[in-house]
Amino acid sequence: MSTRWIFTVAEMMSFVTEVRSQTKTLALVPTMGALHEGHLSLVRQARIQCDVVVVSIFVNPAQFGPTEDFARYPRNPEKDFELLESAKVHAVLAPPVEEVFPAGFSTFVDPGHIATVWEGAQRPGHFRGVATVVLRLFNIVRPDVAFFGQKDFQQVVIIRRLVEDLNLPVRIMVCPVVREADGLARSSRSVYLSAEDRRAAVLLSRSLKRAEGLAQSGEADAEKLLEEMRRMFAAEPRLQLDYAAIVDPATLEPVTHALPGSVALVAARLGQVRLIDNLIFGPPGSSAEMKLQLALTAPQPDKESAATPRPEIDSLRLKIENCRDCAALSSISLPAREFLFKYLKRDYPNLDVIRVLVIGGCAPMGPSDSPYRHPEQPNPFSTRLYELLGVRDFAEFKASFALTDAARCHAVGNRVEERTLEYCAKHLREELKLFPNVQTIVILGEYAYLQFQRHILGRERTSIKAFPELLKAEGWAQESVQLPCYGERDVRLLYCYHPTFENKRSPSVAAYLSSKP
Ligand code: AMP
């Protein structure tokens, strides 16, 4: 496979049309080039999660202020291309400025208050430029998933807000900060540091680590942690601190107490070079991914949930949020909370009347395959699912069925970790409680079957029949069980092959579903 180098919007759009016609999933990694390991970590994640990966390289003039370093920003197209080719990226979009901002361009996105604090206060207009170019790139590339780095934490918050507020059909994935051996966050700008400044630059990450260490040993007072950080900066004359702050990860407002999930932000100048860094507080020993999940699943000031309070959903949300390990494990699949809030709640205003639940044990082929994402555009997963269940389209599907992906786990491959299944099952048990009237549960595929048998029905592994043996020639099987979460009431279980992975191996179960148990 050779990497395609694309310079025009028109050519990019025709590349995307070609990819879309093959129902492949598409990832976008927006960058400004001068690539390093930080960027490449995003590219690798994108390669794992999607069929086709597009990286954009565009030094965006709209996000630089008049006195900033637009002209001096490092550019290294030959090396970038080499790196992206070895990373097996499918296409690189490297448009000149006039392709992205042609004459007459006049529409800009204003991300609001959140873009006026911290980096926004230091760099007025910066996030207006970022949000505008990112929206334009999303519209050109139409990715299923876009990858951003935690390194620019405020940018992540703003992009997630943009996607939420404007209903953009893209999932945002965030990857942890990649650092040099001494802790300095990798950055394109650090090539301009003199040897002495490079040595001093480590203070950014060191001060963050120090604050984390203090927090982990019991000092939660944000002001005390900040005092310590400022003290460290005061002792290094090469560095001029722009700000140090400890903030709520959703609102970016300063917090008085640093909690797991709070974020410490820091920005400082070394001569002409400006560096930023951040750290998410987490329990001792927690991984970077787990901390990211803690920060990104923190409750948002969410219009929707404020408008329709549902105490049981709120308590479920809390439980799911508190299940940190699970949140970390579900980093690729849509987290259960997000799924419940955005999809089930939107499509099923009254979760109590649902009669049949369909549980998928592994994700559809990609995020865009979820029938809830683009209900008007059937894809291989939804088409086969509807066929299996004997409905014509999404409207008919949602009238009788709810599809929960609580059983979904992101570990795809021959072996799914037992721990992963256990954690997913924890969510599933909670989610089942949201559907108190369920009479029938359809379970798609082997993972969901195994998980249901082991962790919901509590059966011993040795007593669980192998999936093909259970399904035999019919391609489906059913049994009636008592589920503790329904107060021991009988529920009919129907097992069949996963409609996408084992395509066409299960005949329609519609007839059995319409016969009352
Ligand atoms: P930039 O080219 O600086 O605009 O960065 C492009 C993307 O790479 C952004 O989403 C950044 O957050 C991400 N990125 C930059 N540096 C790092 C790093 N050290 N670790 C992880 N991601 C990074």
Side-chain angles (χ1 to χ4, degrees):
M1 184 204 87
S2 65
T3 303
R4 203 156 131 188
W5 192 247
I6 296 177
F7 300 100
T8 66
V9 170
E11 191 186 347
M12 189 69 229
M13 289 175 97
S14 80
F15 175 84
V16 170
T17 306
E18 196 182 306
V19 170
R20 290 262 163 247
S21 71
Q22 300 159 6
T23 61
K24 289 185 170 163
T25 53
L26 186 60
L28 171 67
V29 184
T31 80
M32 296 206 298
L35 302 178
H36 50 68
E37 262 309 304
H39 299 110
L40 295 178
S41 71
L42 271 51
V43 171
R44 281 187 214 109
Q45 264 312 311
R47 284 276 300 151
I48 291 170
Q49 291 189 39
C50 289
D51 302 320
V52 175
V53 176
V54 174
V55 174
S56 61
I57 297 182
F58 181 62
V59 185
N60 171 25
Q63 69 188 65
F64 288 79
T67 58
E68 291 182 1
D69 59 349
F70 173 69
R72 279 195 324 120
Y73 192 84
R75 290 167 175 84
N76 201 344
E78 286 83 19
K79 173 148 173 271
D80 289 350
F81 190 67
E82 246 172 55
L83 288 170
L84 295 175
E85 199 154 52
S86 11
K88 300 201 167 34
V89 160
H90 298 80
V92 179
L93 173 64
V97 172
E98 49 295 0
E99 271 292 309
V100 180
F101 295 113
F105 185 98
S106 73
T107 309
F108 284 81
V109 181
D110 176 0
H113 171 73
I114 209 161
T116 62
V117 296
W118 314 124
E119 278 304 279
Q122 299 284 326
R123 306 182 65 188
H126 170 68
F127 289 117
R128 175 180 185 260
V130 170
T132 304
V133 86
V134 168
L135 178 60
R136 185 141 161 73
L137 287 171
F138 284 174
N139 284 331
I140 294 166
V141 180
R142 290 187 286 137
D144 296 293
V145 192
F147 291 77
F148 290 86
Q150 179 202 325
K151 159 82 180 358
D152 298 276
F153 190 81
Q154 187 171 3
Q155 172 171 286
V156 163
V157 175
I158 286 169
I159 299 298
R160 280 168 39 107
R161 197 69 256 167
L162 172 81
V163 166
E164 174 82 27
D165 289 350
L166 301 185
N167 287 83
L168 304 180
V170 58
R171 262 179 66 206
I172 302 301
M173 285 302 307
V174 185
C175 302
V177 186
V178 174
R179 300 179 177 282
E180 311 264 7
D182 65 355
L184 178 70
R186 298 294 296 255
S187 143
S188 303
R189 288 185 169 100
S190 60
V191 293
Y192 289 133
L193 292 173
S194 67
E196 291 88 347
D197 284 348
R198 170 63 190 82
R199 272 194 291 279
V202 75
L203 195 60
L204 278 89
S205 60
R206 202 169 277 162
S207 70
L208 292 167
K209 273 276 167 216
R210 172 89 181 122
E212 183 185 42
L214 290 173
Q216 286 179 345
S217 52
E219 180 54 86
D221 184 332
E223 198 39 52
K224 295 230 169 79
L225 301 177
L226 289 171
E227 261 169 34
E228 174 62 9
M229 289 174 72
R230 289 189 204 109
R231 190 193 58 74
M232 291 173 76
F233 277 95
E236 174 48 82
R238 284 186 169 274
L239 273 158
Q240 188 200 328
L241 182 64
D242 275 349
Y243 59 82
I246 299 178
V247 301
D248 175 279
T251 61
L252 299 181
E253 293 295 325
V255 293
T256 47
H257 289 93
L259 300 170
S262 303
V263 185
L265 304 172
V266 68
R269 287 163 209 268
L270 285 132
Q272 299 269 59
V273 183
R274 194 164 174 280
L275 298 174
I276 59 172
D277 199 352
N278 68 82
L279 177 143
I280 301 169
F281 291 95
S286 44
S287 67
E289 287 77 12
M290 193 183 285
K291 289 178 184 173
L292 255 176
Q293 285 292 337
L294 273 174
L296 299 180
T297 56
Q300 298 241 357
D302 181 296
K303 303 169 242 153
E304 198 191 6
S305 47
T308 49
R310 289 275 311 257
E312 74 278 31
I313 291 188
D314 285 347
S315 77
L316 170 62
R317 176 171 62 75
L318 270 179
K319 280 189 196 150
I320 290 173
E321 273 165 15
N322 289 337
C323 177
R324 290 185 192 135
D325 289 328
C326 197
L329 288 168
S330 65
S331 59
I332 294 179
S333 66
L334 204 58
R337 164 178 173 262
E338 207 179 307
F339 174 78
L340 277 170
F341 280 125
K342 289 212 180 114
Y343 296 87
L344 286 190
K345 217 171 133 195
R346 190 189 64 196
D347 289 307
Y348 303 95
N350 186 356
L351 296 171
D352 300 350
V353 300
I354 302 299
R355 284 195 44 246
V356 185
L357 270 184
V358 184
I359 293 175
C362 42
M365 293 307 278
S368 61
D369 283 350
S370 166
Y372 297 100
R373 262 318 270 283
H374 302 291
E376 69 298 346
Q377 283 171 18
N379 54 50
F381 172 72
S382 50
T383 308
R384 180 69 186 122
L385 179 68
Y386 300 158
E387 207 177 296
L388 193 70
L389 303 177
V391 295
R392 271 177 306 187
D393 52 23
F394 183 73
E396 276 191 16
F397 169 78
K398 81 166 187 185
S400 326
F401 301 97
L403 173 65
T404 160
D405 66 353
R408 186 203 265 202
C409 40
H410 79 253
V412 282
N414 295 332
R415 208 174 71 82
V416 179
E417 291 270 342
E418 191 59 38
R419 211 169 81 94
T420 312
L421 288 180
E422 250 172 60
Y423 280 123
C424 295
K426 220 191 263 184
H427 282 178
L428 180 56
R429 283 195 294 271
E430 296 297 333
E431 287 197 26
L432 287 175
K433 291 186 197 152
L434 282 181
F435 308 92
N437 288 340
V438 159
Q439 294 158 9
T440 305
I441 297 178
V442 180
I443 299 175
L444 306 174
E446 191 165 358
Y447 293 150
Y449 162 72
L450 282 176
Q451 177 182 352
F452 214 89
Q453 291 279 320
R454 292 218 54 207
H455 303 295
I456 308 292
L457 301 180
R459 293 183 177 156
E460 284 301 317
R461 192 198 292 267
T462 46
S463 69
I464 303 172
K465 265 196 190 154
F467 199 54
E469 198 192 316
L470 176 87
L471 302 191
K472 300 228 175 68
E474 285 91 345
W476 63 271
Q478 64 173 319
E479 68 173 324
S480 188
V481 296
Q482 292 203 330
L483 288 187
C485 55
Y486 293 138
E488 311 293 332
R489 161 167 77 69
D490 270 0
V491 173
R492 183 169 54 156
L493 300 179
L494 261 159
Y495 303 102
C496 53
Y497 285 112
H498 191 280
T500 307
F501 289 111
E502 284 91 13
N503 215 359
K504 298 277 179 207
R505 281 167 67 190
S506 282
S508 172
V509 292
Y512 306 94
L513 285 168
S514 53
S515 66
K516 301 273 179 299

